[in-house]
Amino acid sequence: MTTRMKKISLLLFLLTGAFLLGQAKETLSPDQTLWFTSPAENWSQQALHIGNGYMGASFYGGIKRECFDIAEKTFWTGGPHSSPDYNNAIVTGGKDKIKEIRKLIIEKKYAEADSLCRKHMVGDYSHYGYFSMVGNLYIDFPDNNQPVKEYVRGLDLSTSRGFVEYTQNDIHFKREYFCSYPDKILALHFTADKNNKINFNLSQSLIYPSDKIEKTKDGLTFIGTIKGNGLNYCIRIKILQKGGIINISNQEIEVKEANQATILYTVDTEYKQVYPSYKGENPQNTTLDIIKKATAKGYEKIKYTHISDYQSLYNRVKLTLTGDKASELLSTDSRIRQLQEGFTDDSSLKTLWFNLSRYLIISASRPGTLPSTLQGVWNTFEKAPWNGNFQSNINLQEMYWSCGPTRLNECEEAYIDWIVNLVKPGRITAQEYYGTQGWVSHSTGNIWGHTAPGDDILWGLYPCGAAWHCRHLWEHFSFTYDMDYLKKEAYPVMKEAAIFWLENLTPYEKYLIVTPSVSAEHGIELKDGKPIEFSSVNGEETDKKVFTVPAYQDIEMVYDLFSNVIDAANILNIDKEFKEKISIAKDKLYPLKKGKYGQLQEWIIDADNPRDHHRHIAHLYGMFPGNMISYTHTPEWVNTVKKSLEMRNFGKLGNRWPHTGGNWSAAWRMAIWARLHDGNTAIRIFNQLIKESGYENMMSNQSGNMQVDATMATAGLFAEMLLQSHDGFIDLLPALPTEWPEGKISGLAARNGYLIDIEWTNGNLTKAQIGIPSNMDKPIIKVQGVSIQDDDARITFTNID
Ligand code: FUC
C-alpha cells in the first residue's frame, strides 16, 4: 500500500467507526469467530484470550462484573537477583564424574550410572523461579439487575478482538477488547447505543502488591517489585472517555454516565533478556512512554494500527473446508460438543481451529518478546503449572511447528532470540557438567538462561535440548531462505551446538552414542538385568526401573543437528574441514534398530513394551520433526515407526489415551501419521484429542490445565496433511483425510520459499499454483505421493518476486 492509500483506508475506517458508534453487531463467522451465549465461569475451559506477545489478558464477559486475568511474560520470580548465591542452577562436579558415568553405562551398569547421575548430573532449582500472573482487573457495572437479552461473548480471529454485547433495559451495550503489538497496549472499549449509559468501577487485585500508587486526573499508576528478585514493575491505567465524569480514589476508578469509555492498560518490568544481568530499563519510563503515545493517538487509531498489524500476518494463509452447513450456525460450545459426541462433518470448525492456532501464535509470540510459555502469554496463577517454563523436550518446539508452513516466520523470532541467548549460559553448562567446549541445554528453560539438567534425571537428564532448538534455527532458514540470518545468527549457534556433540559422543562397539541421557521421561524395568514387559499399562518411574540406557532420541537429534550444520555450511560455502569432521561423526552414529515387534527401538536394547502407552515418543523424532527417516530415503524404517506408533497409540490397542493425557502428545502423533501419509488416522487422533482433552473455548488440557502447545500446533499439523516439502520435492495433499472431501488453501509455504495454493474436490486435487522465488528452480511436484507429468493441467507455476 502507498502512504496515500494507507491514509485513505485509515480515514474510511475512522468514518465507519464514527458512523456506527462502535455499535455494529459482531459478525459471527463460522470459521473466524469463537462465540458463546453466556459468560465464562472458568479460565481453562471457557475464558477467551487476547495478547500482543508481551502481555495477555483472558476475559470472562460477566454482566455485573467483567474480569481480566492479566499476564506479562517477564513476571517471573527467581533468577540472578533472587539470591547472592545464584549459580545458573549449576551443581558443580559433573565434569569430574562424567567419564565414570559413561564407563558404567558402557558396561551396562545402568542402576549405578543412574545413582551417580542423580548426584552429579542434576541442576539446582532453588532459584529457577516461575511465571506469575500480574493480577486481576475488575470492571464492576453497578445497578444492572435487569434481565439481559441477546448476549454474545466472542473472539473475532479476523481482526484479533474480543467482544461482549447484550441488550439490557432496551440499551445495547458493547465491549471490545484487544492487545496491540505496535502500541504495546491493552485497550478495553465500552459503548452503548444511548448516551450517558456507561457506568463502571475499575479495581485490581495484584499478585505482587504495589508499594506505591500514583493518581492522575484520569488514571492510576501502580509501582512495585516481583517477589524474591526485587525487579521493578509498573502498571499504568488510563481512561479516555466521552461525556460523563470520572472519579479516582486511592486504588479505584469510577466512570459515570459516559457515552463511551476506553481503558488503556500497560505493564512492564525491569527485565531484559541479556545474560548475565537480565536487567534493563526502568519500567516507569517505558510504560509512561507507551501510555503517552497511546493517549495522543486515541482509541480508533490504536485499533486501526492493531488490526493492520495483525492482519499483515494472519491474512497470509486462508483455508476453506466444505462441511455441514447447519453446524455453522451454532455457537462454538455446541459445535465442540457435537464433535465430542462423534459428529465429524462440521469441517469449518476445523478451519476455525486452523485460524485459532495462528491467532494464538500471533498473540503470544512476537519479535522482541520472550517465547510462548506453556500457557502462551496468558496466566491465571501465581505459579503457572510446570512453572510456566519453556519446556524443551517437545512442548516449546511443538508450539512453533506452524510458523514455517503458515508463514508466521516473524512470530518465531521470539523463540530464536531466546535460543541465541542460551549460548553463553549453555557454554558454562557444557564446561561444568561435561568438561567440554560448545553449548548445551536440557529439558527445561526459563527467562534467566537456565540450561542445566533438571533436578530429577527422569525428566531432566535430556542433553539434546539445544540440538532440538537448533532444528528451529535451521527450519526458519529453510522456509525463508534468509542468507544473512543463516550466516550471522543461525549457523554460529548451530555450529557451536555441534561442537559440543563432537566432543561428547561416546564410543560404543564400533559406533558413537550419546550418554548419559534418559529417553524423555521414560525408563526400563529390568529383572535379572533383562528388560521385562511390566504389567502396568503406562508405567512411569518405579524404583525397579533404570533410566540411563542409551536412547535413540539423542542419536536422531544429533544426526539431525549434524545434517543441518553440514547443509548450512554447504550453502554458506564455509568450514570445509569442520564439515568433514561432522560428516565422519555422523556416519559413525549408532545405527537404528528394529525390535522384536518390528518397532523402531526406543533404546539400543530391545525393551519396548506393547502395553506401554507413554505419552512421549522422542525416539520417533527421526520421522517428525526430524527427517532421518522418510518414505523417500529410508523406506525400510518407515514401517518400524508405524509399528512403534501403533504400540504407543490408543485405538487399535484398547482405545487408550496416552498416559496422563497429554494434548501435545496427540498432536505429535498426528504429525507423524501425516508423514506416514495417513490423514485419516491423523484427524481421528485430533478428534479424539478434543474428546478426551478439549475444552469449549477450543483449547485443550494437560493434567487438567489449559496448555497451548497442541492448539498452537494445529495449523502446522493441518498444513502437514495438505502439503509436505521435507524431502526435496513438494507433495500436494499427502495426507488428505476423507473428512475433508472438498476445500482449498492459499498462501502456504514450502521449504525454500515456494508459495502454494491448492484446491481439491472429492478428495482429488483439482488445481494448484506454485509460486517460485527468483533464486529457486522450478520444484519437483508430486500429488498424493505420485509424480506428475510435465504437462499436468492442474498445476500452474508463477514467479513470486
Ligand atoms: C513434559 C510432559 C508433561 C507436561 C510438561 C509440561 O514434561 O511430559 O506431560 O506436558 O512437559
Side-chain angles (χ1 to χ4, degrees):
M1 250 202 273
T2 62
T3 319
R4 195 181 130 77
M5 275 161 75
K6 273 190 190 153
K7 277 193 185 146
I8 294 173
S9 58
L10 170 62
L11 192 70
L12 283 174
F13 180 87
L14 295 180
L15 284 174
T16 326
F19 174 69
L20 295 170
L21 274 169
Q23 278 301 312
K25 285 206 177 159
E26 290 290 338
T27 310
L28 304 178
S29 150
D31 54 17
Q32 306 218 66
T33 320
L34 280 77
W35 62 274
F36 306 86
T37 53
S38 56
E41 280 167 14
N42 66 60
W43 182 75
S44 268
Q45 309 191 12
Q46 295 174 319
L48 298 174
H49 312 291
I50 53 176
N52 64 4
Y54 295 101
M55 65 168 296
S58 312
F59 68 95
Y60 295 73
I63 293 160
K64 287 190 179 176
R65 162 174 270 197
E66 177 61 286
C67 171
F68 297 89
D69 297 349
I70 310 261
E72 198 274 345
K73 281 212 200 113
T74 67
F75 259 69
W76 264 77
T77 64
H81 307 288
S82 62
S83 161
D85 311 326
Y86 184 76
N87 56 1
N88 284 303
I90 306 275
V91 171
T92 52
K95 63 172 186 257
D96 304 323
K97 293 285 170 187
I98 192 83
K99 263 199 185 146
E100 191 180 340
I101 292 170
R102 285 180 173 151
K103 186 163 174 284
L104 288 169
I105 291 170
I106 289 165
E107 290 166 358
K108 301 191 175 59
K109 294 178 181 158
Y110 305 123
E112 285 160 61
D114 283 5
S115 65
L116 264 193
C117 286
R118 283 196 179 98
K119 277 200 207 110
H120 302 287
M121 298 303 288
V122 285
D124 170 6
Y125 274 57
S126 333
H127 310 298
Y128 185 79
Y130 52 80
F131 174 42
S132 296
M133 80 182 300
V134 174
N136 296 109
L137 180 71
Y138 298 114
I139 316 292
D140 287 292
F141 302 94
D143 309 324
N144 71 351
N145 285 324
Q146 297 302 312
V148 156
K149 290 187 292 190
E150 300 166 332
Y151 178 95
V152 195
R153 165 178 67 94
L155 199 56
D156 174 13
L157 306 179
S158 70
T159 54
S160 178
R161 288 174 310 114
F163 60 86
V164 178
E165 56 181 314
Y166 53 86
T167 305
Q168 192 178 36
N169 280 339
D170 279 336
I171 304 162
H172 191 71
F173 289 96
K174 188 162 173 188
R175 312 176 195 162
E176 177 174 67
Y177 312 141
F178 61 85
C179 255
S180 159
Y181 172 68
D183 288 306
K184 272 187 144 182
I185 206 142
L186 167 68
L188 313 170
H189 188 61
F190 300 82
T191 55
D193 64 357
K194 295 203 172 68
N195 279 342
N196 311 116
K197 296 298 178 193
I198 302 296
N199 294 293
F200 62 74
N201 192 64
L202 175 154
S203 61
Q204 283 203 98
S205 97
L206 295 172
I207 286 285
Y208 302 123
S210 52
D211 304 321
K212 197 169 154 200
I213 301 171
E214 288 171 2
K215 283 198 266 181
T216 61
K217 68 174 187 344
D218 49 13
L220 285 169
T221 303
F222 298 80
I223 298 158
T225 55
I226 295 188
K227 187 178 80 180
N229 61 26
L231 284 194
N232 290 311
Y233 74 75
C234 179
I235 299 167
R236 288 182 195 270
I237 303 175
K238 167 139 185 150
I239 310 290
L240 309 178
Q241 72 184 90
K242 290 197 178 143
I245 52 167
I246 178 167
N247 291 317
I248 315 272
S249 67
N250 188 21
Q251 305 206 17
E252 302 193 358
I253 302 177
E254 187 189 23
V255 168
K256 267 180 138 175
E257 294 172 5
N259 299 336
Q260 55 170 264
T262 304
I263 300 167
L264 297 178
Y265 179 108
T266 176
V267 50
D268 197 6
T269 75
E270 214 175 344
Y271 174 86
K272 188 169 181 193
Q273 186 170 230
V274 191
Y275 174 85
S277 77
Y278 295 99
K279 217 174 187 173
E281 263 186 88
N282 182 340
Q284 289 184 52
N285 299 340
T286 53
T287 51
L288 185 63
D289 190 45
I290 289 168
I291 215 90
K292 271 190 181 163
K293 284 187 182 143
T295 308
K297 207 163 169 180
Y299 179 71
E300 292 299 338
K301 276 195 193 162
I302 296 173
K303 179 174 160 187
Y304 175 80
T305 316
H306 163 66
I307 296 176
S308 318
D309 161 70
Y310 170 78
Q311 290 183 340
S312 70
L313 296 163
Y314 177 82
N315 287 349
R316 288 179 185 173
V317 182
K318 185 168 165 54
L319 171 67
T320 310
L321 294 174
T322 311
D324 178 60
K325 289 283 164 216
S327 303
E328 296 187 349
L329 303 172
L330 300 176
S331 61
T332 308
D333 47 335
S334 317
R335 298 173 84 183
I336 300 288
R337 222 166 298 125
Q338 286 195 151
L339 179 61
Q340 288 174 328
E341 284 161 7
F343 181 77
T344 53
D345 292 348
D346 182 6
S347 298
S348 71
L349 180 62
K350 298 286 168 29
T351 310
L352 187 61
W353 249 301
F354 180 82
N355 292 334
L356 174 67
S357 162
R358 296 182 304 120
Y359 164 88
L360 291 173
I361 296 167
I362 301 171
S363 307
S365 187
R366 289 300 199 95
T369 73
L370 287 158
S372 171
T373 78
L374 290 164
Q375 280 76 33
V377 66
W378 303 283
N379 192 0
T380 189
F381 306 96
E382 183 201 333
K383 179 178 181 179
W386 317 93
N387 302 316
N389 93 89
F390 303 118
Q391 182 80 15
S392 304
N393 60 358
I394 170 67
N395 313 78
L396 175 61
Q397 292 92 340
E398 180 173 311
M399 287 181 218
Y400 287 90
W401 285 349
S402 303
C403 290
T406 71
R407 294 164 63 212
L408 296 179
N409 317 95
E410 295 91 330
C411 295
E412 203 170 27
E413 282 175 28
Y415 177 29
I416 292 172
D417 281 354
W418 178 81
I419 299 170
V420 173
N421 275 289
L422 287 186
V423 174
K424 285 183 184 161
R427 282 178 191 148
I428 301 174
T429 299
Q431 281 294 337
E432 292 295 337
Y433 286 90
Y434 302 90
T436 66
Q437 295 187 78
W439 77 280
V440 65
S441 69
H442 297 76
S443 47
T444 49
N446 60 13
I447 71 170
W448 313 114
H450 176 99
T451 52
D455 60 3
D456 181 339
I457 63 166
L458 169 70
W459 54 270
L461 189 48
Y462 191 85
C464 270
W468 196 340
H469 293 317
C470 286
R471 151 150 287 279
H472 283 258
L473 298 181
W474 172 248
E475 283 281 70
H476 188 80
F477 169 75
S478 301
F479 280 99
T480 57
Y481 225 84
D482 178 345
M483 292 290 280
D484 205 45
Y485 152 81
L486 180 66
K487 189 172 172 192
K488 296 190 183 135
E489 215 171 334
Y491 180 72
V493 176
M494 291 164 64
K495 179 177 172 185
E496 211 176 320
I499 289 174
F500 174 83
W501 284 114
L502 271 186
E503 296 196 19
N504 277 280
L505 289 171
T506 308
Y508 182 74
E509 298 170 353
K510 299 182 301 210
Y511 302 105
L512 295 171
I513 54 169
V514 170
T515 53
S517 86
V518 174
S519 189
E521 308 184 17
H522 204 196
I524 299 175
E525 193 167 359
L526 294 179
K527 197 172 177 198
D528 304 328
K530 296 227 164 65
I532 59 160
E533 291 182 4
F534 42 96
S535 55
S536 65
V537 172
N538 281 311
E540 272 278 281
E541 79 248 65
T542 70
D543 45 11
K544 288 190 221 119
K545 279 193 178 177
V546 289
F547 295 97
T548 50
V549 182
Y552 272 114
Q553 69 182 20
D554 308 282
I555 291 169
E556 294 167 36
M557 290 176 199
V558 171
Y559 176 96
D560 190 45
L561 173 68
F562 283 179
S563 309
N564 296 336
V565 168
I566 294 168
D567 284 353
N570 281 336
I571 290 172
L572 295 170
N573 199 12
I574 51 174
D575 282 346
K576 200 160 171 278
E577 268 173 43
F578 176 70
K579 205 173 61 188
E580 271 156 25
K581 262 198 209 162
I582 301 255
S583 297
I584 294 168
K586 182 181 145 191
D587 291 344
K588 284 184 78 180
L589 285 171
Y590 200 79
L592 298 176
K593 274 189 188 166
K594 182 169 164 174
K596 58 176 174 288
Y597 301 102
Q599 86 283 10
L600 180 68
Q601 285 183 200
E602 179 164 355
W603 297 273
I604 64 170
I605 59 174
D606 191 359
D608 299 277
N609 172 4
R611 290 191 301 276
D612 178 345
H613 301 282
H614 195 277
R615 59 197 180 285
H616 281 275
I617 44 171
H619 57 309
L620 308 187
Y621 175 99
M623 182 110 196
F624 188 99
N627 192 22
M628 183 180 186
I629 302 172
S630 90
Y631 274 118
T632 320
H633 55 263
T634 53
E636 69 281 16
W637 289 106
V638 170
N639 280 335
T640 64
V641 169
K642 198 167 180 178
K643 186 68 203 168
S644 293
L645 259 192
E646 283 168 359
M647 284 169 66
R648 284 291 262 276
N649 225 332
F650 54 89
K652 285 192 183 140
L653 290 147
N655 254 325
R656 284 194 181 277
W657 190 237
H659 181 49
T660 68
N663 49 354
W664 57 264
S665 146
W668 195 354
R669 283 158 166 80
M670 277 180 74
I672 300 180
W673 282 110
R675 287 265 167 108
L676 286 165
H677 299 170
D678 185 345
N680 284 338
T681 302
I683 203 69
R684 182 170 65 78
I685 293 178
F686 184 82
N687 294 337
Q688 180 96 358
L689 152 67
I690 299 310
K691 185 169 177 204
E692 306 281 347
S693 304
Y695 289 145
E696 67 177 50
N697 58 3
M698 299 185 70
M699 309 300 278
S700 55
N701 87 88
Q702 151 77 46
S703 308
N705 284 306
M706 186 278 269
Q707 198 165 293
V708 292
D709 34 22
T711 323
M712 278 195 184
T714 299
L717 298 170
F718 289 0
E720 196 68 26
M721 291 157 73
L722 301 174
L723 170 74
Q724 290 178 15
S725 65
H726 54 280
D727 251 344
F729 57 87
I730 290 173
D731 197 353
L732 305 174
L733 305 179
L736 184 69
T738 45
E739 201 191 287
W740 303 344
E742 183 176 300
K744 53 185 178 186
I745 188 155
S746 59
L748 271 188
R751 287 173 183 78
N752 294 356
Y754 297 103
L755 283 188
I756 319 288
D757 299 349
I758 314 171
E759 290 184 26
W760 68 95
T761 35
N762 298 322
N764 292 313
L765 182 86
T766 50
K767 213 169 152 185
Q769 182 164 304
I770 317 291
I772 308 173
S774 58
N775 54 343
M776 290 293 152
D777 296 331
K778 193 170 163 183
I780 300 169
I781 305 288
K782 293 190 183 183
V783 176
Q784 298 180 315
V786 179
S787 303
I788 56 154
Q789 305 288 329
D790 265 356
D791 58 353
D792 192 316
R794 297 169 300 174
I795 321 266
T796 50
F797 295 91
T798 53
N799 293 322
I800 51 177
D801 288 337

